[in-house]
Amino acid sequence: MELIFLGTGAGTPSKERNVSSLVLNLLSERNSFWMFDCGEGTQHQVLHSSIRLGRLEKIFITHLHGDHIFGLPGLLSSRSMAGSQDPLALYGPPGIKAFVETALNLSGSYLTYPLEIIEIQPGKVVEDQQFCVTALPLVHGIESFGYRIVETDKPGTLDASRLLAEGIPAGPIFQRLKAGELVSLDDGRVVNGHDYLGPAQKGRSLAIFGDTSPSETSLVLAKNVDVMVHETTLEASMAEQANSRGHSTTQQTAELAKAAGAKRLIITHFSARYDSEESVRLLAECQEIFPQTEMACDLAVFTL
């Protein structure tokens, strides 16, 4: 599992940072990619990455500001022009359906694949055998969400050496035991797979925030996650300006990560006033409070 940052700037692109988009690489887990936000120019950034649009399974939009959605019509169309026929699901706040359908209809665009658009409400938005995704509201002037992604716990390792020592032959039986089944042997014994499994492997968790000023919901969203991805639009001394526009500072973001018990913090969504050298100062402000802070840059890849 990897996080690939396609755009790490705020509001407008700069020479060093495009506007918001990141991708969760789930090729190993489900042979697909999940995208979070799709600002203008996102599909150009994809060309410089390992991401394949044909394997894009889901897109999650945090809010409807242009720097988070203006890349959607072009990306959806390019996926179609590449001949993809695999379904794509798009999740976002109310209004996302009208935006996408209007842009595609007025431009005479067509899609070669089924596109399902789900306008979300607070609560679970995706749940299957592998992952649960929950959306919670944030504070940003317009409706904005953060997404909490939790991987299902994996069964523990099967103790094959113990099974062999007890005269249980390797083969298809081992697969059934690893699934926790009860298996009847030829000698009359009944073996419970759970008795031969090690401790379950806890699933990974992450919180991906939309734009927001500090809120109580943020603490719930990030509680004990392995990785927290959060905006740090402005430096600590500019809290009043940041909060008045529905954004957070370095200090506020780091304090949230510490209070939530997050294991790692990745900061992103930097104002264009900060070039690459000045961005290092923002990282330092976070690390003073939360040492496990890392700074995202365009096309950076983080392994979970």
Side-chain angles (χ1 to χ4, degrees), residues 2-7 18 21-27 32-35 41-56 75 297-302:
E2 295 177 331
L3 278 173
I4 305 170
F5 284 80
L6 298 178
N18 197 46
S21 182
L22 68 90
V23 167
L24 185 60
N25 180 350
L26 297 173
L27 287 178
S32 68
F33 298 95
W34 290 1
M35 178 175 286
T42 292
Q43 66 171 315
H44 292 277
Q45 297 290 79
V46 168
L47 297 175
H48 300 286
S49 75
S50 61
I51 300 162
R52 303 193 300 275
L53 292 184
R55 296 264 59 83
L56 186 60
L75 183 139
C297 61
D298 284 20
L299 303 180
V301 179
F302 297 84

Side-chain angles (χ1 to χ4, degrees), residues 137-201:
L138 302 173
V139 179
H140 188 53
I142 68 168
E143 197 165 17
S144 182
F145 287 91
Y147 293 97
R148 181 182 176 95
I149 304 98
V150 178
E151 183 182 29
T152 303
D153 292 348
K154 297 178 182 178
T157 303
L158 185 69
D159 192 342
S161 59
R162 181 182 160 202
L163 288 168
L164 292 171
E166 294 181 8
I168 301 171
I173 289 177
F174 276 28
Q175 293 298 320
R176 295 177 60 192
L177 292 173
K178 185 172 178 58
E181 294 183 19
L182 288 173
V183 177
S184 297
L185 303 179
D186 292 341
D187 60 11
R189 285 183 293 168
V190 177
V191 181
N192 188 338
H194 286 292
D195 294 338
Y196 296 85
L197 293 176
Q201 179 182 340

